[in-house]
Amino acid sequence: MNPATQRAVFAEVGRRSLWWFLLYAFGIREHCKRIGDDNWWDDRVHKGLADDIQTCIEEWETRRLQGVREPMDILVMAFRGFGKSTFGCGVDLWLQVRNPNLSEVLSSFDEKKSVEFLNVDKTYLEGEANFGW
């Protein structure tokens, strides 16, 4: 497979699979491998979460195409160190990959965290991320 074809295949897989996007395109697998003391990712737990969130998003996208304009809130309640913020930033980017014209509202318990999340997205969108493709 030539590099252009490989890139096109990986781009399509990343657009279709949140799980694959998070692990490789966003770079969670590489990040956790390089940072030994920050290895919070667990395939047995996070795969199910990724699949559930993808199902919710795909249902929302289908309703949107049918003319239903309702926001969707997804709440992940998990213990500290679970990767909720990192996971959420990856989901934000995946939504943008699927629909670059989508507008989102990023928010957190305080303005500093919201800006931090936005800066993660900006770093990836500008091609300056240390991890991921």
Side-chain angles (χ1 to χ4, degrees), residues 2 28-29 47 72 93 95 106-107 118 122 127-128 132:
N2 68 44
I28 288 175
R29 168 98 1 115
K47 170 93 168 73
M72 175 179 277
L93 286 173
L95 285 166
L106 296 174
S107 65
L118 180 59
K122 182 179 174 189
E128 299 175 3

Side-chain angles (χ1 to χ4, degrees), residues 23-92:
L23 284 180
Y24 301 106
F26 189 60
I28 288 175
R29 168 98 1 115
E30 183 64 24
H31 170 78
C32 287
K33 192 186 309 180
R34 284 193 207 171
I35 317 275
D37 63 341
D38 193 25
N39 191 5
W40 51 267
W41 187 266
D42 185 332
D43 287 349
R44 297 168 300 171
V45 174
H46 291 93
K47 170 93 168 73
L49 178 61
D51 290 348
D52 287 348
I53 289 176
Q54 179 170 339
T55 298
C56 290
I57 290 170
E58 288 171 344
E59 288 173 7
W60 173 78
E61 288 172 333
T62 299
R63 288 195 315 270
R64 209 172 122 252
L65 289 172
Q66 295 169 343
V68 178
R69 302 287 188 215
E70 292 177 355
M72 175 179 277
D73 297 322
I74 299 173
L75 175 65
V76 176
M77 293 179 58
F79 53 86
R80 194 167 185 77
F82 181 81
K84 296 178 298 293
S85 298
T86 303
F87 200 97
C89 288
V91 171
D92 289 335

Side-chain angles (χ1 to χ4, degrees), residues 7 9 89 97 101 128:
R7 183 179 174 91
V9 168
C89 288
V97 164
N101 295 319
E128 299 175 3

